[in-house]
Amino acid sequence: MSGSYGNEGEQSYLSRKGFLTWALTLDHKRIGLMYLGAVLFFFLIGGIMALLVRTELLTAEGDLFSGDNYNKIYTLHGAIMVFVFIIPSVPAALGNFLLPLMLGAKDVAFPRLNLASWYIYLLGSAFLIFSVLAGSIDTGWTFYTPYSIGPSDNGNAIIAATLGVFILGFSSILTGVNFISTIHKMRAPGMKWMDMPLMIWALYATSVIQVLATPVLAITLLLLVFERLLGFGIFNPALGGDPVLYQHFFWFYSHPAVYIMILPGFGIVSELLTVHSRKRIFGYKAIAFSSVAIAVIGFLVWGHHMFVSGQSELSSTIFSGITFAVAIPTAIKVFGWVATLYKGSIRFTTPMLYGLYFIFTFTIGGLTGLPLATLASDVHLHDTYYVVAHFHYVMMGGLVIAFIGGLHHWWPKMTGRMYNIKLAAFASVLVFIGFNLTFFSQFFLGSQGMPRRYHAYDRVSESLQGTYKFWHQMSTSGSYILAIGLFITLGYLLASLRKGGTRSPHNPWGGVSMEWLTATPPIEHNFEGQPVCTHGPYEFPEIDKSAQDKH
Amino acid sequence: MNFTTILGDVWMPTSASTVADDTDAVFYFIHYLSAIFLVAIVAATIYFALKYKKRSDNDKTSPIEHNSKLEFWWSFLPGLLLVVMFIWGFDIWLKLQVPPANAMNVRVTARQWTWQFDYPKDGITAGELVVPVNTPVKLTMSASDVLHSFYVPEFRVKKDVLPNRYSVAWFEATEPGEYNVFCTEYCGKNHSRMITRVQVKSAADFEAWRETGGVPPGTSPAEAGKIFYKSFGCNQCHSSDGTANTGPTFLGLYGSSHGLTDGTTVVVDDNYIRESIEIPGAKVVAGFQPRMPSFKGKIKDKQMVAIIEFLKTLSK
Ligand code: HEM
Ligand SMILES: [Cu+2]
């Protein structure tokens, strides 16, 4: 790729100071950074809720919180993590920052929409925060009817929270629309679809789901609000409605939404494993198209959340079959990442460590989807801790591990600073160990029958109670280790920003995709002049081109 | 399947129904296979990572981009295994969907936060599920408020209980004993209290239980009342030791006088107790929500008398 490094000419995008230069900015990089601050804040809050939940479960009795308060805390944990942390984390925060840079573009296609999506996100979050002040919701992040529309002391909180999620959906849709247009129209001259970094493919697939699936969630939640306020009788059995219909609507969005959550992680990991092993990705097309395949098939499997809900046997059978089909593109990706390491020159940098952890944790997450997709074993495992463990392995072990890895990979690009490398490697080990201890224990809990969303387990017969207590205590211990690792991480990242923090070299990892063509941190308009794409995103100088024909 | 016993203790609880061993077999099949895949993937990752660790700045890396043969096989073979899982799981699950024609019928009612089991033929109502061993039992279930779910881990059986339709589950217990019945669909404040037991009895013991309407022969009315107090789930909201809960405690209740939400007072006697059980909303004790469901028609006359006798033993 050619283009100038722009170190001297224009100023860094961070140099203009003042509140308004941020509040009114149309710069995708600044918007990305503001999103980053917000999602990290919510990650912190959601994480504290998780620690409270884990601490309550140390003992069988419900001794730390009342049942009501426990239910509010776990609901808040789930709702915050899903709607204001994970969903915007990679696309809106990292993606906003990186997408135009990786495409060699000056900004996203619609900078004003981009700013609008940020303010809509803030508004939606404000509704969520208001719902906490108005008594907090206790419905679980799934808002199942008729519980969510029944008599409640916190009716206003439920309305505020559902409206909040409704509003957040629009922010998500706008980001999606923006990314799709940018990818179609604003790739640098010379960049063909097959020259795009896999991060871009992943963001593309994610955006398509965001645009197509989110409206269904929006309508569902709006109906829920109408149901509460006006008694429509769509979901309320007392008025002839059907709670199973609600579940169909909800999962029609929320299953694709789990792919909104993981696909960007696939993108990041593809970048981490290539750059830090100086290799081309193994099976570029397979990985790119499997993202798209997952996005498409992902629309047809929602009923696997409902095998025991009372949906028809025929539906369950079909949904089970199609769910297995999703596993194939997932497996293709994992094999491709492992093969990418073959005959590379591997550097054990912190981003690479996270890339390697991801292979392990995500594989466990994917594999444990199989007994859940299998009808007979799901009957036993549904709504137990096994499901909780499964989705934390894919969402935390998949997306969040990738997100943290990506944050370490692009932190120098975004801030111009380098964090304390030794501390980072150390903290990453704590995160890895803590995470696995926390959630692997929960597989045993679940297969032994421990139901999810239980505030206490002191009514469980003695024989099982001992088993539950043991695994709960393992899990809680793990969560404390995990928390320490994450707090250290937050600490050294923030410390790198202080006056006199270490400056990062221009291209610390030797990346060759287009975001490394501009200054570090980038100049305000990304590139001086229009850069031209002359080679693929993984053409590292170390690659032995002379050996090319032997394969 | 014999490999169930190897890891049986860590992964799965005791198996106590005819379908449990089948479910375990497919569960372990998938887990052993997954373990093999996981070990292979991790081994390859660690091996590559160490073998191809950076040696010097002059390292050369392979230009390989893909390998169609390899990619085909590693998609196709796992694909085949997935088909096996699907069919195997489907086959067992079909059995779970079709209760045998000769099954014994029990009606299940779930409400926040109690279980109620009715034996239509015998006119018995109980808060614990009592079943004979080696006999298929068909549960026809409905909820009177929100969603619940019936789950017995040892039977590997679970089914949601809905307010607007009947759902059906069945099992055939193979081991006498006592097991947990969990509610596994989140149902509000006391979701984690909505646990009762299923007692699997030998044929003879079950017969005896049935003949005496669920109460052992020779039980005094007050003792029987105590059994009903638990079996109808009154104890979920009313303590017998003075502890505050969703409803007023029964300790010292009988014969006392109460302030009501409408400002009047009432003396707790037999008539007031009957009314409170059958029309709970008629007189609500000050300081409490009208949350109690009606038991009209569920608690029979004799049982009512027994419960009142039990309350008398708690009066001061
Ligand atoms: C091979 C791939 C996967 C398969 C076969 C699979 C299968 C399943 C199945 C069948 C369930 C329903 C279990 C039940 O409720 O009884 C489930 C739950 C879930 N899965 Fe996956 N899954 C896979 C990957 C993922 C990924 C990549 C994510 C997200 C990043 C994910 C997130 C979730 C979540 C959030 C739930 C539970 C939601 C809830 O009940 O609150 N899964 N999965
Ligand atoms: Cu799903």
Side-chain angles (χ1 to χ4, degrees):
Chain A
M1 290 179 205
S2 61
S4 73
Y5 278 64
N7 264 332
E8 300 88 36
E10 244 187 283
Q11 282 192 319
S12 145
Y13 79 105
L14 292 168
S15 44
R16 283 199 295 134
K17 302 270 187 274
F19 176 74
L20 283 185
T21 67
W22 286 88
L24 298 179
T25 185
L26 298 180
D27 183 346
H28 67 99
K29 301 184 287 305
R30 285 184 164 219
I31 296 174
L33 229 48
M34 292 192 289
Y35 262 118
L36 185 63
V39 299
L40 289 178
F41 170 75
F42 283 120
F43 186 36
L44 180 69
I45 305 290
I48 291 172
M49 300 290 153
L51 290 174
L52 295 179
V53 165
R54 285 302 341 151
T55 305
E56 169 67 80
L57 295 170
L58 269 177
T59 57
E61 296 74 28
D63 35 20
L64 189 57
F65 303 109
S66 68
D68 269 336
N69 284 339
Y70 177 85
N71 294 340
K72 288 175 181 176
I73 293 170
Y74 91 69
T75 299
L76 210 57
H77 162 71
I80 287 181
M81 288 301 196
V82 169
F83 295 116
V84 287
F85 168 57
I86 294 194
I87 290 182
S89 65
V90 177
L94 289 184
N96 241 326
F97 189 95
L98 290 169
L99 183 119
L101 288 171
M102 290 183 129
L103 290 174
K106 291 222 179 300
D107 207 313
V108 289
F110 309 111
R112 283 195 173 75
L113 275 192
N114 203 14
L115 185 65
S117 104
W118 160 246
Y119 280 109
I120 294 171
Y121 170 81
L122 284 188
L123 183 68
S125 311
F127 269 78
L128 274 190
I129 292 169
F130 173 78
S131 85
V132 177
L133 302 178
S136 225
I137 52 170
D138 68 342
T139 58
W141 76 281
T142 46
F143 302 106
Y144 269 18
T145 59
Y147 186 70
S148 59
I149 50 181
S152 164
D153 306 335
N154 314 301
N156 291 335
I158 296 178
I159 291 173
T162 32
L163 284 178
V165 174
F166 174 78
I167 295 169
L168 286 166
F170 285 95
S171 140
S172 187
I173 293 172
L174 291 186
T175 303
V177 169
N178 226 332
F179 284 7
I180 293 174
S181 332
T182 311
I183 293 169
H184 271 276
K185 289 291 173 198
M186 297 177 66
R187 301 191 308 277
M191 185 184 283
K192 296 200 237 16
W193 282 83
M194 293 298 145
D195 296 327
M196 296 195 311
L198 286 165
M199 173 79 171
I200 302 290
W201 271 103
L203 288 172
Y204 185 75
T206 308
S207 302
V208 171
I209 312 181
Q210 278 180 328
V211 171
L212 293 181
T214 315
V216 178
L217 177 72
I219 293 165
T220 310
L221 293 178
L222 211 57
L223 287 175
L224 198 75
V225 171
F226 287 162
E227 189 92 16
R228 262 211 94 78
L229 291 175
L230 310 170
F232 264 28
I234 303 167
F235 306 134
N236 188 352
L239 301 173
D242 184 7
V244 178
L245 179 66
Y246 173 82
Q247 295 171 31
H248 278 294
F249 279 10
F250 181 82
W251 289 113
F252 183 86
Y253 165 78
S254 291
H255 184 81
V258 307
Y259 294 109
I260 295 180
M261 300 183 220
I262 192 63
L263 286 172
F266 294 164
I268 291 181
V269 165
S270 303
E271 303 300 315
L272 299 184
L273 294 178
T274 48
V275 174
H276 298 272
S277 63
R278 323 304 296 153
K279 275 275 309 280
R280 294 172 181 158
I281 193 86
F282 187 93
Y284 176 96
K285 280 191 187 154
I287 291 189
F289 290 145
S290 61
S291 285
V292 179
I294 288 175
V296 173
I297 307 174
F299 270 100
L300 305 174
V301 301
W302 77 87
H304 66 210
H305 296 267
M306 301 167 59
F307 290 153
V308 304
S309 73
Q311 78 182 351
S312 77
E313 279 79 14
L314 182 64
S315 315
S316 290
T317 308
I318 294 173
F319 282 124
S320 166
I322 305 179
T323 301
F324 281 109
V326 189
I328 296 174
T330 315
I332 292 177
K333 282 178 189 287
V334 174
F335 295 141
W337 290 321
V338 175
T340 299
L341 303 174
Y342 173 71
K343 289 196 178 170
S345 166
I346 292 163
R347 286 112 221 256
F348 289 94
T349 57
T350 306
M352 185 61 170
L353 287 178
Y354 278 103
L356 296 172
Y357 299 158
F358 176 96
I359 294 182
F360 178 73
T361 48
F362 178 73
T363 301
I364 293 181
L367 287 170
T368 53
L370 301 176
L372 297 176
T374 304
L375 288 162
S377 41
D378 183 64
V379 168
H380 178 61
L381 299 170
H382 175 71
D383 266 342
T384 67
Y385 266 82
Y386 195 97
V387 175
V388 177
H390 158 69
F391 69 71
H392 280 90
Y393 261 92
V394 276
M395 303 208 301
M396 173 105 203
L399 190 273
V400 179
I401 292 288
F403 172 69
I404 300 176
L407 200 58
H408 284 81
H409 184 75
W410 286 295
W411 187 260
K413 180 95 270 176
M414 295 190 285
T415 63
R417 299 304 177 87
M418 185 55 93
Y419 42 83
N420 183 327
I421 295 176
K422 287 214 178 93
L423 209 52
F426 171 69
S428 84
V429 174
L430 287 186
V431 169
F432 181 70
I433 294 174
F435 169 80
N436 283 294
L437 187 57
T438 309
F439 293 108
F440 211 87
S441 309
Q442 297 184 0
F443 285 121
F444 298 117
L445 269 176
S447 66
Q448 291 281 352
M450 172 79 200
R452 64 193 284 203
R453 298 179 170 174
Y454 266 24
H455 158 232
Y457 44 102
D458 51 349
R459 286 223 173 157
V460 176
S461 67
E462 247 164 61
S463 54
L464 280 180
Q465 197 181 116
T467 313
Y468 292 175
K469 192 164 179 171
F470 174 76
W471 289 119
H472 270 308
Q473 290 179 344
M474 296 296 274
S475 179
T476 303
S477 320
S479 70
Y480 295 156
I481 299 176
L482 175 59
I484 295 172
L486 289 173
F487 273 115
I488 298 177
T489 307
L490 185 67
Y492 65 70
L493 284 181
L494 290 180
S496 76
L497 298 178
R498 72 187 188 279
K499 265 214 173 82
T502 317
R503 290 205 159 279
S504 161
H506 163 64
N507 187 350
W509 324 116
V512 298
S513 44
M514 298 191 91
E515 79 270 27
W516 299 105
L517 277 183
T518 176
T520 297
I523 56 174
E524 204 170 326
H525 295 290
N526 290 359
F527 302 95
E528 280 184 0
Q530 172 65 62
V532 175
C533 180
T534 53
H535 58 70
Y538 308 118
E539 296 303 313
F540 303 103
E542 287 86 347
I543 294 174
D544 184 4
K545 300 234 165 63
S546 65
Q548 189 108 21
D549 302 328
K550 287 185 208 147
H551 289 275
Chain B
M1 285 273 162
N2 221 1
F3 50 31
T4 10
T5 47
I6 305 173
L7 286 177
D9 298 344
V10 189
W11 282 106
M12 284 290 198
T14 333
S15 102
S17 80
T18 47
V19 77
D21 284 344
D22 295 342
T23 301
D24 291 4
V26 69
F27 176 93
Y28 284 112
F29 171 73
I30 298 174
H31 280 77
Y32 279 108
L33 217 74
S34 298
I36 294 171
F37 270 93
L38 181 66
V39 168
I41 287 169
V42 170
T45 306
I46 294 179
Y47 176 76
F48 289 160
L50 297 181
K51 173 135 196 241
Y52 303 114
K53 190 170 176 278
K54 179 184 172 189
R55 311 270 160 205
S56 77
D57 283 340
N58 303 325
D59 279 1
K60 284 283 164 211
T61 66
S62 161
I64 184 169
E65 278 179 342
H66 73 116
N67 178 327
S68 307
K69 252 197 206 141
L70 197 61
E71 289 175 73
F72 171 77
W73 285 109
W74 76 30
S75 317
F76 182 73
L77 287 181
L80 279 187
L81 292 170
L82 296 176
V83 174
V84 174
M85 290 176 201
F86 166 67
I87 294 178
W88 192 346
F90 171 68
D91 187 49
I92 299 166
W93 179 77
L94 269 191
K95 279 191 239 167
L96 272 173
Q97 302 308 307
V98 192
N102 61 343
M104 179 182 121
N105 279 303
V106 180
R107 283 272 293 111
V108 180
T109 311
R111 61 172 73 88
Q112 287 166 322
W113 293 278
T114 60
W115 294 100
Q116 180 184 315
F117 302 96
D118 289 281
Y119 297 72
K121 266 203 188 147
D122 311 290
I124 300 176
T125 295
E128 291 188 349
L129 178 58
V130 181
V131 296
V133 72
N134 296 329
T135 310
V137 176
K138 176 181 169 190
L139 307 174
T140 307
M141 310 191 286
S142 63
S144 54
D145 36 48
V146 299
L147 300 178
H148 301 276
S149 192
F150 174 93
Y151 175 41
V152 180
E154 286 85 351
F155 296 170
R156 321 284 191 263
V157 165
K158 181 183 291 120
K159 189 83 187 184
D160 281 7
V161 185
L162 293 87
N164 62 327
R165 56 170 99 168
Y166 294 108
S167 49
V168 172
W170 79 275
F171 59 84
E172 179 176 336
T174 52
E175 296 290 330
E178 197 179 89
Y179 310 102
N180 295 287
V181 175
F182 291 138
C183 174
T184 43
E185 184 61 70
Y186 174 66
C187 60
K189 181 173 120 197
N190 287 340
H191 176 48
S192 63
R193 322 260 81 196
M194 197 166 156
I195 299 178
T196 184
R197 302 281 187 263
V198 46
Q199 292 179 31
V200 179
K201 292 185 187 287
S202 69
D205 287 355
F206 180 74
E207 249 353 276
W209 176 85
R210 187 154 70 168
E211 268 176 14
T212 54
V215 176
T219 315
S220 74
E223 280 168 22
K226 187 170 185 182
I227 294 177
F228 297 135
Y229 161 69
K230 288 196 181 128
S231 68
F232 284 105
C234 316
N235 61 338
Q236 302 275 3
C237 297
H238 302 279
S239 73
S240 57
D241 61 0
T243 327
N245 204 333
T246 313
T249 179
F250 284 169
L251 185 68
L253 182 71
Y254 191 87
S256 69
S257 57
H258 254 341
L260 299 181
T261 40
D262 61 8
T264 58
T265 0
V266 68
V267 174
V268 180
D269 58 10
D270 296 19
N271 279 322
Y272 171 74
I273 292 173
R274 172 182 290 271
E275 186 186 37
S276 302
I277 291 174
E278 298 195 331
I279 319 168
K283 301 195 173 98
V284 177
V285 180
F288 291 91
Q289 299 287 326
R291 299 207 76 142
M292 179 164 157
S294 165
F295 289 83
K296 194 174 169 73
K298 309 241 160 77
I299 297 187
K300 309 274 174 338
D301 270 358
K302 263 176 117 176
Q303 296 169 325
M304 185 76 76
V305 171
I307 290 174
I308 294 172
E309 286 308 312
F310 169 59
L311 288 189
K312 281 185 188 164
T313 65
L314 291 175
S315 64
K316 287 201 177 124

